Amino acid sequence: MQQTKLATESSVLQAAGTALSRGLNVRHIRFMALGSAIGTGLFYGSASAIQKAGPAVLLAYIIGGAAVFMVMRALGEMAVRHPVSGSFGQYASKYLGPFAGFVTGWTYVFEMAIVAIADVTAFSIYMGFWFPQVDRWIWVLSIILFLGAMNLLSVKVFGELEFWFSLIKVVAIIAMIVGGAAIVVFGFQTGDGGGVAPGLGNLVNHGGLFPNGFEGLLAAFAVVMFAFGGIETIGITAGEATNPKKVIPQAVNTVPVRVLLFYVLTLGVLMSIFPWNEIGSSGSPFVQIFDGLGIPAAPHILNAVVITAALSAINSDIFGAGRILFGLAQQGHAPKSFSKISRHGVPWMTVVMMGGILLVGVVLNAVIPEDVFVLIASIATFATVWVWVMILASHVAMKREIKRKGLPASEFGSPLWPFASILTMAFMAMVIVILGVFEDTRIALYVGGTWLVLLFVAYKLWVRGGGLRRAELVDETAALPVVKAR
């Protein structure tokens, strides 16, 4: 009787997992990744990057975007070969060992939690544009409760909501690029531009392309890499895609390029309209720019857009952390309660946990509202870059195993192997060093180092049984067809 009950429960869990894992199409996946990667980093954090590097920030985004694209190609190759919900956490466990999988999975959860805190912080700042008399922490608490409830919906509904959230901001960004380019081309005078006419000359007329020198360019990487964080959500959706072999390559090849274009074109237009040292002096740089155009409703419309962007990004953060926690629980690297699925097909315990973590944002915004964003962004950058390094290391180990065992070649291979991967890993190491060089981001290394030590202690104390074994993943790579000679 007990065995029958257990078998029934197992079947229900598998059925729910199947309904969850194959409910996302390429439209959902593309916009979910865009939702996470185009949010606070662009609409608010970009102002900080511009102040550090000036117009040279465009070069920082190009270099950072190229590195992120290589990370995504490495992740895409592994995701097509092993389309599982645990994604890079399980890839690290299989190819680098169970401890590596434990560290990678939990560091990603940490990353998403920190990024979500940054996003709710930005949300509170945007709301301050309309309600300056209301304390930020009140908005943070409100949005946590609202999005916590929304994430308990079925994943299919969640995918649709995230699609429309992301679509709004993508359309807004395109409109901003087109409208801003028209302003630059036709030379319209902005309302509060201090007498400075819009034009490409603004990119070099205020201290040159590198107004803060090469040091400023390096300092900007801390914020730039934070901005791209979350794009690895594409890999997490592999186990939930309707056709991973088709959907994942399409998403990987298009989303990173689109994100890069959005950042570079948008910020290029911004710095052409206003001198770089005037951008972001109050709130979101986008609201500031359109407020300067003298259109009464424009700032309010744009503020609504950036609020939608923040909601979208927080949603993606909670989704990504939840799916990784679900995978960690299945590997024996997290409490079994995180593998429990509600009747709507949602791992509800992960939503509860993320809601609890985001309450830290309430405390931070009540105690240090002015300094919280740079602090959070630098810590999130460390976690983000660490996860990307583990993805690249797992990919290198996988390629070696393919060669050693004579396995079929990948259907979606990473380009310029192995040189691009080695160069990308070196770049990521440089970003971590940069965090320690500059005083305002140095705390990220202290927090990150402490986090890794805590993970080591937790692994030694609590991981037992199956959690000490490498993940066993099915290789779904199709063998090359044999062509018979005629």
Side-chain angles (χ1 to χ4, degrees):
M1 184 70 178
Q2 182 67 17
Q3 289 181 344
T4 303
K5 181 181 178 182
L6 291 174
T8 302
E9 291 177 351
S10 176
S11 298
V12 171
L13 180 60
Q14 290 175 2
T18 302
L20 174 67
S21 64
R22 301 304 173 193
L24 299 175
N25 57 39
V26 67
R27 174 172 58 91
H28 294 142
I29 292 173
R30 283 178 177 173
F31 278 86
M32 285 170 65
L34 285 170
S36 186
I38 300 180
T40 305
L42 175 61
F43 289 108
Y44 184 74
S46 57
S48 176
I50 290 171
Q51 292 305 312
K52 290 178 181 295
V57 74
L58 300 178
L59 180 60
Y61 276 105
I62 291 172
I63 295 173
V68 170
F69 178 70
M70 292 311 305
V71 173
M72 293 311 302
R73 283 301 300 259
L75 178 57
E77 181 174 349
M78 292 188 291
V80 171
R81 187 174 284 267
H82 308 293
V84 294
S85 296
S87 190
F88 39 81
Q90 295 205 42
Y91 304 150
S93 178
K94 175 176 175 60
Y95 292 109
L96 301 177
F99 177 64
F102 179 84
V103 171
T104 302
W106 276 107
T107 301
Y108 178 77
V109 173
F110 177 68
E111 172 199 342
M112 288 294 97
I114 295 298
V115 170
I117 291 175
D119 290 333
V120 297
T121 298
F123 171 79
S124 68
I125 293 171
Y126 301 151
M127 293 303 294
F129 179 78
W130 286 329
F131 307 99
Q133 73 280 5
V134 179
D135 291 335
R136 288 186 190 174
W137 68 267
I138 295 177
W139 295 118
V140 174
L141 180 60
S142 301
I143 201 60
I144 290 172
L145 296 176
F146 170 74
L147 291 180
M150 196 174 84
N151 271 271
L152 293 175
L153 300 171
S154 70
V155 72
K156 203 165 187 178
V157 174
F158 169 81
E160 282 297 322
L161 290 173
E162 184 62 24
F163 167 75
W164 290 107
F165 269 147
S166 298
L167 183 62
I168 290 173
K169 63 183 174 185
V170 168
V171 170
I173 292 171
I174 293 174
M176 189 274 164
I177 293 173
V178 174
I183 292 172
V184 172
V185 171
F186 295 107
F188 297 146
Q189 185 75 28
T190 54
D192 60 347
V196 178
L200 295 177
N202 282 327
L203 295 175
V204 293
N205 290 342
H206 306 277
L209 190 62
F210 292 83
N212 296 328
F214 187 67
E215 180 179 327
L217 174 66
L218 293 178
F221 278 118
V223 179
V224 168
M225 301 316 289
F226 161 76
F228 287 122
I231 197 170
E232 63 274 9
T233 303
I234 293 175
I236 297 174
T237 61
E240 305 181 42
T242 53
N243 185 356
K245 292 181 184 293
K246 178 182 179 181
V247 169
I248 296 302
Q250 289 181 356
V252 166
N253 282 333
T254 59
V255 171
V257 174
R258 291 178 184 181
V259 169
L260 179 60
L261 289 175
F262 284 151
Y263 274 99
V264 173
L265 290 178
T266 304
L267 298 187
V269 167
L270 284 174
M271 289 184 289
S272 296
I273 296 176
F274 270 1
W276 67 269
N277 52 2
E278 295 182 16
I279 293 176
S281 58
S282 60
S284 168
F286 294 85
V287 174
Q288 180 193 3
I289 293 296
F290 278 88
D291 191 26
L293 295 178
I295 303 174
H300 299 283
I301 295 173
L302 198 60
N303 202 53
V305 170
V306 296
I307 286 173
T308 302
L311 294 175
S312 169
I314 298 166
N315 258 334
S316 293
D317 299 338
I318 295 174
F319 172 87
R323 295 313 183 266
I324 288 292
L325 276 171
F326 183 77
L328 287 169
Q330 290 182 321
Q331 295 177 75
H333 290 167
K336 286 295 183 184
S337 58
F338 290 136
S339 64
K340 292 182 178 179
I341 298 178
S342 71
R343 60 188 180 89
H344 297 295
V346 175
W348 61 273
M349 273 297 295
T350 64
V351 176
V352 173
M353 178 180 174
M354 283 296 291
I357 291 173
L358 288 179
L359 291 177
V360 175
V362 178
V363 178
L364 290 175
N365 279 276
V367 178
I368 51 171
E370 298 305 321
D371 303 320
V372 66
F373 185 81
V374 174
L375 170 67
I376 290 173
S378 58
I379 295 173
T381 299
F382 174 86
T384 299
V385 172
W386 181 271
V387 168
W388 289 345
V389 168
M390 297 303 286
I391 290 173
L392 291 168
S394 301
H395 178 252
V396 170
M398 184 191 75
K399 298 289 278 191
R400 288 177 176 174
E401 181 174 302
I402 291 173
K403 182 178 180 180
R404 185 175 66 253
K405 294 184 177 180
L407 300 175
S410 298
E411 297 169 280
F412 184 54
S414 182
L416 303 177
W417 166 262
F419 306 107
S421 296
I422 294 173
L423 189 62
T424 304
M425 292 184 72
F427 171 77
M428 296 300 174
M430 182 195 74
V431 173
I432 292 178
V433 172
I434 288 173
L435 290 175
V437 170
F438 296 96
E439 186 176 354
D440 60 342
T441 59
R442 194 170 299 152
I443 190 175
L445 295 188
Y446 299 144
V447 174
T450 302
W451 170 255
L452 295 178
V453 170
L454 290 175
L455 285 181
F456 177 79
V457 173
Y459 182 81
K460 291 298 183 182
L461 290 179
W462 292 309
V463 177
R464 296 288 183 271
L468 299 175
R469 293 191 295 268
R470 290 175 180 259
E472 297 181 3
L473 305 178
V474 177
D475 190 335
E476 298 189 12
T477 302
L480 293 176
V482 176
V483 180
K484 295 182 180 180
R486 292 182 178 178

